[in-house]
Amino acid sequence: MKAAMIVVEVVLALLLSYGAGHADCATTTIPQNSNSTADMLSLLDFRKTISSDPGGFLTSWNTNNSSAADYCGWNGVTCSRKHPGRVIELNLSSQSLQGRISSSLGNLTFLRILDLSSNMLAGPIPPNIGSLFHLKILYLDSNNFTGAIPSSLGNISKLEQLVLQDNQLIGTIPQDLGNLSNVNRLLLAHNMLSGSIPTIILNQRNLMILDLGANYLRMMLPSNIGHTLPQIGALSLYNNMFYGPIPASLGNASILVILDLTANSFTGHVPSSLGNLTYLYFLQLEQNNLEANDNEGWEFIDALGKCMYLQHLLLSSNQLQGAIP
Ligand SMILES: *[C@@H]1O[C@H](CO)[C@@H](O)[C@H](O)[C@H]1NC(C)=O
Ligand SMILES: *[C@@H]1O[C@H](CO)[C@@H](O)[C@H](O)[C@H]1NC(C)=O
Ligand SMILES: *[C@@H]1O[C@H](CO)[C@@H](O)[C@H](O)[C@H]1NC(C)=O
Ligand SMILES: *[C@@H]1O[C@H](CO)[C@@H](O)[C@H](O)[C@H]1NC(C)=O
Ligand SMILES: *[C@@H]1O[C@H](CO)[C@@H](O)[C@H](O)[C@H]1NC(C)=O
Ligand SMILES: *[C@@H]1O[C@H](CO)[C@@H](O)[C@H](O)[C@H]1NC(C)=O
Ligand SMILES: *[C@@H]1O[C@H](CO)[C@@H](O)[C@H](O)[C@H]1NC(C)=O
Ligand SMILES: *[C@@H]1O[C@H](CO)[C@@H](O)[C@H](O)[C@H]1NC(C)=O
Ligand SMILES: *[C@@H]1O[C@H](CO)[C@@H](O)[C@H](O)[C@H]1NC(C)=O
Ligand SMILES: *[C@@H]1O[C@H](CO)[C@@H](O)[C@H](O)[C@H]1NC(C)=O
């Protein structure tokens, strides 16, 4: 999987580099409003709800002497150059922090990157994170977040990466996430999400990585998915309750590198159109109810011979029978 991720990262880096040129111009439209006091108060309020900071990462977050009051120099805090005093990045990743996250985070309205991944923060994701209109990257993965995914996240129209995997999130995937027309990574794996994937999310033309593995999702995939996700590079739906056929249109998702449908209830033949996927590297279909009992059913094996990068092909625990041609 690691090697596969490297391939997908390379493909994605190439794709993302097309859009990178104009990414920073957005800042010119941010209205000038430097209210340093407000951002500092929000950070201090955030710190109050952190109950454990074993590495002392937040020790610098205090105002008891004038040099420390320069909160732009606090650990994990980056301020804007254009808009002095406005926090644009907050990165507290991997600090073993425990506690809830304060809703005052929603007041840091210039934030572009919020990375609280790999901690032990509990409690719900505050809905007012949805007011961080400039946010492009939101990493809350590998924590102990509970409750539902707030639908307000659908308001962050600039969001490009939404990573909430490895938490204890419940409920359905909100329709509103379909409003995130710039999202290219949507990683919600290893939660307890149920229901179906809102159709609108499967129509995100910029989506490159969709990882919804290890949840309780249950639906039939739309037959045109290969057309509605033209940029998809990695599609991981393992360990869920997807059923019905694997859509043949996936053969038209021309930059697909990883397709992981392990441990679901897919039925029917493996579509031989998958052989059209030039960059396919990782195809994992085991533990389903896929069938092959005649030449037609086995056609896909020949077709996959065209995939010159294919390294991982896993098909065990299905209803594949007879002689492999
Ligand atoms: C800055 O924010 C603080 C706290 O929200 C507020 O009391 C103060 O009036 C604001 N100052 C300006 C100049 O907007
Ligand atoms: C955050 O903004 C809300 C609404 O404007 C305000 O009531 C609250 O006091 C702010 N919190 C902080 C810590 O500045
Ligand atoms: C600085 O403030 C923090 C809390 O804001 C407090 O825990 C710490 O003891 C203070 N340090 C000094 C030297 O006063
Ligand atoms: C002020 O804060 C800085 C950074 O936290 C620390 O290195 C310094 O010792 C503090 N000075 C006093 C007088 O507390
Ligand atoms: C946050 O910081 C960690 C450690 O420095 C780094 O590995 C990670 O890439 C940063 N996150 C973002 C979104 O830049
Ligand atoms: C994580 O959440 C679960 C369920 O809410 C709770 O029992 C557990 O104590 C939490 N762990 C931490 C480290 O907060
Ligand atoms: C989205 O933002 C608009 C405008 O600020 C607001 O009226 C609406 O309540 C927000 N929706 C959600 C779900 O937060
Ligand atoms: C998402 O878009 C729909 C339709 O335009 C709208 O009704 C809904 O309020 C939007 N949600 C958010 C969170 O902005
Ligand atoms: C793939 O796209 C081509 C061209 O648009 C179309 O002719 C073909 O039927 C599609 N294949 C599938 C399996 O959807
Ligand atoms: C895709 O695969 C199907 C089935 O193997 C084949 O009929 C079709 O011609 C292929 N399309 C392209 C564009 O290679």
Side-chain angles (χ1 to χ4, degrees):
M1 196 65 191
K2 190 146 191 147
M5 283 318 289
I6 292 167
V7 174
V8 85
E9 290 294 335
V10 169
V11 172
L12 294 173
L14 290 172
L15 293 167
L16 288 169
S17 65
Y18 290 119
H22 52 84
D24 274 350
C25 301
T27 55
T28 55
T29 62
I30 297 173
Q32 182 77 42
N33 173 24
S34 324
N35 189 340
S36 22
T37 331
D39 276 8
M40 187 183 73
L41 291 177
S42 300
L43 291 171
L44 288 173
D45 201 60
F46 173 84
R47 192 195 167 180
K48 267 195 235 159
T49 58
I50 301 299
S51 54
S52 172
D53 173 19
F57 193 74
L58 303 181
T59 315
S60 61
W61 290 34
N62 70 67
T63 52
N64 35 15
N65 72 36
S66 56
S67 70
D70 177 17
Y71 61 93
C72 290
W74 290 355
N75 270 347
V77 176
T78 306
C79 289
S80 168
R81 285 172 193 216
K82 265 198 193 120
H83 308 283
R86 298 311 309 250
V87 177
I88 54 168
E89 180 173 345
L90 186 60
N91 185 345
L92 308 178
S93 174
S94 308
Q95 300 302 328
S96 308
L97 302 177
Q98 283 182 41
R100 291 177 164 255
I101 58 174
S102 155
S103 64
S104 59
L105 265 192
N107 293 17
L108 297 170
T109 49
F110 275 54
L111 270 187
R112 286 198 241 161
I113 297 178
L114 177 57
D115 185 350
L116 304 179
S117 61
S118 303
N119 285 294
M120 291 177 277
L121 304 166
I125 298 173
N128 71 347
I129 284 190
S131 43
L132 301 176
F133 293 113
H134 295 298
L135 211 56
K136 288 185 172 178
I137 294 181
L138 179 58
Y139 292 168
L140 300 179
D141 51 298
S142 305
N143 274 289
N144 209 7
F145 289 115
T146 54
I149 298 175
S151 56
S152 60
L153 296 185
N155 250 345
I156 312 177
S157 59
K158 290 180 180 164
L159 201 61
E160 293 171 5
Q161 302 187 26
L162 178 58
V163 181
L164 305 178
Q165 67 196 15
D166 287 301
N167 280 295
Q168 300 179 38
L169 300 169
I170 58 167
T172 55
I173 301 172
Q175 285 276 349
D176 306 72
L177 297 190
N179 299 14
L180 301 173
S181 58
N182 290 307
V183 82
N184 57 54
R185 289 174 196 219
L186 182 59
L187 311 189
L188 308 177
H190 293 274
N191 280 294
M192 295 180 282
L193 301 169
S194 54
S196 56
I197 312 171
T199 311
I200 187 168
I201 292 179
L202 297 175
N203 278 285
Q204 289 298 338
R205 304 193 68 78
N206 292 316
L207 206 55
M208 295 178 183
I209 305 184
L210 180 62
D211 187 353
L212 304 176
N215 279 293
Y216 301 111
L217 299 169
R218 186 181 157 82
M219 74 185 293
M220 203 153 101
L221 292 181
S223 62
N224 61 350
I225 187 170
H227 300 278
T228 58
L229 295 177
Q231 304 267 37
I232 199 79
L235 180 62
S236 293
L237 304 176
Y238 55 88
N239 289 66
N240 276 290
M241 295 178 280
F242 290 96
Y243 60 93
I246 298 176
S249 68
L250 282 172
N252 270 336
S254 58
I255 57 166
L256 198 63
V257 176
I258 294 176
L259 179 60
D260 189 347
L261 305 180
T262 306
N264 279 288
S265 302
F266 286 105
T267 51
H269 291 165
V270 178
S272 52
S273 61
L274 297 184
N276 297 351
L277 295 170
T278 313
Y279 303 105
L280 191 64
Y281 177 86
F282 186 101
L283 178 59
Q284 196 156 317
L285 304 176
E286 79 260 38
Q287 297 175 57
N288 278 289
N289 298 314
L290 298 166
E291 286 165 44
N293 41 29
D294 53 15
N295 282 348
E296 198 196 330
W298 280 106
E299 256 173 27
F300 74 95
I301 285 284
D302 263 350
L304 289 175
K306 290 188 287 176
C307 303
M308 56 194 277
Y309 297 108
L310 190 62
Q311 292 284 328
H312 295 267
L313 174 61
L314 294 135
L315 299 170
S316 66
S317 303
N318 276 292
Q319 314 286 323
L320 306 173
Q321 299 163 358
I324 298 180

